[in-house]
Amino acid sequence: MKAVLVLEDGKIFEGKSLGSVEEKTGEVVFNTSMTGYQEILTDPSYRGQIVAMTYPHIGNYGLNETDVESGKPWVEGFVAKEFSRVFSNFRGCETIEEYLAKNKIAGIDGVDTRALTKHIRIKGAMKGGIFTEGLHDVKELIKKVKRSPDLIGRDLVREVTCKESYFWNDDKTRESCPPGRMPRQGIPGKYRVICYDFGIKYNQLRYLKESGCVLKIVPAQMSADDLLKENPDGIFLSNGPGDPEAVGYAVENIKKLAGKIPIFGICLGHQLICLALGAKTYKLKFGHHGANQPVKNLLTGKIEITVQNHGFAVDENSLDKNKVMLTHVNLNDNTVEGIQHKYLPVFSVQYHPEAGPGPHDSVYLFRRFVDLIKKRSLGVEENS
């Protein structure tokens, strides 16, 4: 079936429908990863977005029950030059066509993704829509796209966060938990960490658990007062979708928690920490979405190859350099990639050290978080 991808500036890309035939709208972004399409589909940070893959052949190893980052896919639409109708992999369970249809995701292939990517790089990320009906009335389709919700000022975290708190042991083992103090015994792990779910990914939980943490995942709206009653050893702030400035309740909670308990943030969690520390964020022209972004660690001088997925960034000039230290910078565009507080046990990075598949250059950050918890428990200051 014929389908079109319509951009809000009137640019149209023709292709073939794959998956759901329902019309879907969202911000159109491109991802430069060569593999990992299943992880991309199930990353909650892509809520509200249509993802175009720059690698031309997607779906050749199928989809399986293991390589997921959350309980369901979140993308609004998926675009490729060619989706494979067959797969060859011993772990594969279904084709990408079956997966998109089952999960009601609008897919379109046969698209000139090089031209689409170039257009977005020049014009910037913009709203778009995938349509299979009404193709004769292009003006009406463009109107539908323009009327669709914008990401700026939109709180998408409320749509992806968990509804109730739970303990996490592995991908399929969750235990509901009543409010109150986290237990020190009874669950494997030494350090009790509360994870704010702004759109949390499984691999973040895997690395935290492997680092010796007992993990309690809580909704994004949980108040700082209720969290402090749990008496955790550390707080983790996850990634998530949308505009960080729209998640004001999280910013206010972080303000109350900073300095009381060690805090580690990734991606949206990083942006929220910076907002809580008085900085500002802004919308990037076309965002960072891919598995090969070079980042310089200013503390060591080393270069890390990183996986990234964000459309907003922290304004470096708005950081209070008397209190906040810039620790990482993106070598492509010099944007902020990491910070730490000079006096409080708080640090964060914009990229994804847990990403899989992807480079492992930045896994040390999870060990650093646990070391920070250890030092805090011994009464040792971070910079000592």
Side-chain angles (χ1 to χ4, degrees):
M1 179 185 296
K2 183 178 179 181
V4 294
L5 171 66
V6 178
L7 302 183
E8 64 178 305
D9 67 352
K11 189 76 171 179
I12 296 175
F13 296 86
E14 297 183 352
K16 294 171 290 185
S17 174
L18 194 82
S20 173
V21 296
E22 297 179 26
E23 62 181 51
K24 294 292 182 73
T25 59
E27 182 184 68
V28 182
V29 299
F30 61 85
N31 187 298
T32 59
S33 300
M34 296 175 67
T35 60
Y37 51 82
Q38 184 165 348
E39 290 86 344
I40 290 167
L41 288 165
T42 55
D43 182 349
S45 295
Y46 279 116
R47 179 67 169 172
Q49 294 183 316
I50 295 172
V51 180
M53 302 298 292
T54 61
Y55 190 70
H57 193 64
I58 300 296
N60 58 307
Y61 57 86
L63 291 98
N64 58 66
E65 297 178 353
T66 303
D67 296 338
V68 294
E69 287 291 358
S70 66
K72 57 176 284 189
W74 292 98
V75 301
E76 304 298 332
F78 208 40
V79 183
K81 172 63 177 174
E82 180 182 3
F83 284 125
S84 177
R85 269 61 176 180
V86 296
F87 65 87
S88 178
N89 186 280
F90 72 98
R91 297 191 306 154
C93 297
E94 58 187 331
T95 66
I96 193 164
E97 181 175 15
E98 293 168 335
Y99 184 83
L100 295 179
K102 179 178 70 177
N103 291 286
K104 298 183 179 180
I105 299 169
I108 178 173
D109 75 346
V111 172
D112 186 346
T113 48
R114 288 187 297 180
L116 172 61
T117 300
K118 185 176 180 179
H119 187 75
I120 294 174
R121 282 184 60 88
I122 294 172
K123 301 291 185 178
M126 64 185 76
K127 293 188 290 185
I130 297 175
F131 303 95
T132 57
E133 297 181 355
L135 307 188
H136 61 283
D137 192 348
V138 173
K139 291 183 178 179
E140 180 58 29
L141 298 182
I142 295 173
K143 288 180 181 179
K144 285 185 178 181
V145 171
K146 289 183 176 180
R147 290 196 297 263
S148 65
D150 202 331
L151 283 190
I152 296 177
R154 185 177 170 195
D155 179 10
L156 289 170
V157 169
R158 291 183 183 273
E159 300 180 19
V160 302
T161 189
C162 59
K163 304 304 179 185
E164 297 179 349
S165 301
Y166 61 92
F167 288 115
W168 192 90
N169 289 323
D170 57 47
D171 298 5
K172 297 181 181 179
T173 305
R174 299 184 180 189
E175 298 178 29
S176 60
C177 49
R181 180 171 294 194
M182 289 184 69
R184 287 194 177 275
Q185 297 178 343
I187 299 177
K190 186 175 181 180
Y191 303 105
R192 299 165 303 119
V193 173
I194 285 185
C195 305
Y196 266 116
D197 179 8
F198 302 126
I200 204 161
K201 294 168 65 179
Y202 286 165
N203 234 24
Q204 293 170 353
L205 299 175
R206 293 184 189 112
Y207 276 113
L208 288 168
K209 185 182 178 229
E210 289 173 4
S211 299
C213 298
V214 177
L215 304 176
K216 181 175 181 179
I217 294 78
V218 302
Q221 300 89 346
M222 183 180 190
S223 71
D225 292 337
D226 287 341
L227 185 145
L228 290 172
K229 292 176 184 177
E230 305 271 355
N231 192 30
D233 298 310
I235 300 171
F236 175 72
L237 308 179
S238 80
N239 62 290
D243 185 350
E245 293 188 358
V247 197
Y249 50 88
V251 174
E252 293 305 312
N253 284 330
I254 296 168
K255 288 180 181 179
K256 296 177 182 178
L257 295 168
K260 296 179 180 179
I261 303 172
I263 301 176
F264 173 33
I266 288 177
C267 203
L268 180 65
H270 157 78
Q271 296 165 357
L272 296 173
I273 284 175
C274 291
L275 289 172
L277 296 177
K280 297 179 181 179
T281 58
Y282 64 96
K283 187 80 163 59
L284 290 166
K285 183 177 181 180
F286 48 80
H288 299 166
H289 310 279
N292 56 354
Q293 294 273 336
V295 167
K296 184 173 184 178
N297 184 327
L298 301 179
L299 303 180
T300 65
K302 294 182 178 180
I303 308 303
E304 302 170 22
I305 302 303
T306 69
V307 173
Q308 301 196 10
N309 175 25
H310 57 275
F312 293 79
V314 173
D315 180 0
E316 181 182 354
N317 294 326
S318 68
L319 291 170
D320 184 350
K321 299 298 178 61
N322 293 319
K323 297 179 180 179
V324 179
M325 178 188 305
L326 183 66
T327 59
H328 298 77
V329 63
N330 190 298
L331 293 181
N332 285 336
D333 59 9
N334 294 316
T335 52
V336 175
E337 293 287 354
I339 62 99
Q340 73 178 42
H341 200 283
K342 293 183 178 180
Y343 313 111
L344 304 179
V346 177
F347 75 102
S348 60
V349 291
Q350 179 66 79
Y351 53 92
H352 287 267
E354 85 292 341
H360 297 165
D361 303 26
S362 308
V363 173
Y364 68 89
L365 290 163
F366 293 95
R367 296 191 296 271
R368 180 184 169 192
F369 179 45
V370 171
D371 287 342
L372 185 59
I373 293 174
K374 290 179 182 177
K375 289 181 179 180
R376 194 70 171 179
S377 67
L378 296 173
V380 180
E381 294 300 323
E382 161 72 345
N383 297 316
S384 62

